Amino acid sequence: TARDVLPIGVALLGVRISLAHIVALGWVPVALVLFSVVVTILLSMLVARLMGFQSLFGLLSGGATAICGASAAMAISAALPGHAGKEKATLFTVIGVSALSTMAMIAYPMIANGLGLDATQAGIFLGATIHDVAQVVGAGYGMSHETGDTATVVKLMRVAMLLPGIIVAAMITRARGADDSGKRPPLLPWFAVGFIVLASINSTGVVPAAVQGFGTELSRWLLVIAISALGMKTQLRELASVGIKPILLMFGETLFLMLLVLAALHW
């Protein structure tokens, strides 16, 4: 399940994306999303190396923080080369980013109110910083309908950044040579192709809302099943053995992304 069901769930994430979402943002929020995602991931990879981890862990945790939480962690992990600690690192990242996302859903609206952000600014802030889509929706619409709409659109733009993240992970895997079967891995995994195809079809506007909703819900359940499968293969004492440094790394990534977006909004 962790191997075969996961890619299908990732491909179905394309149902959430359409070109209309990106166009509706305008160039300023798009530039903010692109900049914050790239800088957060690159810095995460650098700090991970300085802390004694593989840079791939920085790509995994930074991608989860900057793009779309647990979904990004699972998608990037599926494209990364296999190694002894990969499954443990993936599950730890999923648990950590989900916990941080829930905390952000509660704290970030209070920060937005405290800083006096208007509805549009608050929506951009929430959509560009909270990790998972569900928590973005909860935080945004908890403030106002306008804030929720803006936050959701900005968040979907971050979800669209999942494709470049998968491609980068696949390029790293390909550069490291053949897999266990002796075959050189493809530059673009099939589930990334599926993501592109579904997003393209969704952009035509011909996909009924009911079909979009079904695809989104099916994707969510497949990812939950895949995460559960990882849990079946992992013991809690293995997660406890990772120490404090990975926790500090993920917390630092979350804090950096929040401060970066607030600084950009102020500028």
Side-chain angles (χ1 to χ4, degrees):
T1 298
R3 183 182 65 252
D4 299 327
V5 173
L6 169 61
I8 301 174
V10 173
L12 285 172
L13 286 173
V15 177
R16 296 184 179 185
I17 304 299
S18 74
L19 184 61
H21 290 141
I22 299 173
V23 172
L25 284 174
W27 75 269
V28 175
V30 170
L32 172 60
V33 167
L34 289 171
F35 178 74
S36 61
V37 168
V38 171
V39 171
T40 300
I41 291 177
L42 290 177
L43 184 62
S44 298
M45 295 177 69
L46 174 62
V47 174
R49 286 298 298 269
L50 294 175
M51 295 179 73
F53 302 117
Q54 292 188 35
S55 58
L56 293 182
F57 180 63
L59 173 61
L60 181 65
S61 62
T65 299
I67 300 176
C68 55
S71 299
M74 299 295 286
I76 293 173
S77 175
L80 286 175
H83 59 84
K86 176 181 172 179
E87 291 178 348
K88 182 169 71 172
T90 301
L91 188 59
F92 177 85
T93 302
V94 167
I95 294 172
V97 80
S98 298
L100 288 168
S101 187
T102 301
M103 293 169 60
M105 179 182 67
I106 299 170
Y108 285 10
M110 293 188 287
I111 293 174
N113 283 326
L115 294 175
L117 301 181
D118 61 32
T120 300
Q121 291 174 327
I124 293 173
F125 168 60
L126 298 177
T129 54
I130 298 178
H131 309 321
D132 286 302
V133 176
Q135 280 86 339
V136 169
V137 171
Y141 286 106
M143 295 187 69
S144 71
H145 186 80
E146 182 181 353
T147 299
D149 286 346
T150 303
T152 301
V153 173
V154 173
K155 180 59 185 176
L156 289 176
M157 177 59 192
R158 288 171 66 196
V159 175
M161 292 293 292
L162 182 60
L163 179 60
I166 293 172
I167 293 175
V168 170
M171 290 175 65
I172 293 173
T173 302
R174 188 176 175 84
R176 295 197 173 192
D179 58 19
D180 294 337
S181 65
K183 297 180 181 179
R184 192 172 176 82
L187 178 59
L188 195 61
W190 71 262
F191 57 86
V193 176
F195 182 95
I196 296 172
V197 171
L198 290 175
S200 299
I201 294 173
N202 196 39
S203 297
T204 64
V206 300
V207 181
V211 175
Q212 293 179 1
F214 174 76
T216 299
E217 191 67 18
L218 179 59
S219 172
R220 181 179 298 115
W221 274 105
L222 292 178
L223 291 174
V224 167
I225 291 169
I227 292 170
S228 301
L230 284 180
M232 290 287 290
K233 299 169 69 176
T234 307
Q235 297 182 0
L236 288 177
R237 65 171 177 265
E238 293 179 350
L239 291 178
S241 68
V242 299
I244 191 66
K245 290 198 294 183
I247 298 174
L248 293 177
L249 176 63
M250 296 192 66
F251 181 80
E253 291 165 349
T254 300
L255 182 61
F256 172 78
L257 180 61
M258 181 192 71
L259 294 176
L260 179 64
V261 171
L262 284 176
L265 284 173
H266 177 73
W267 176 75

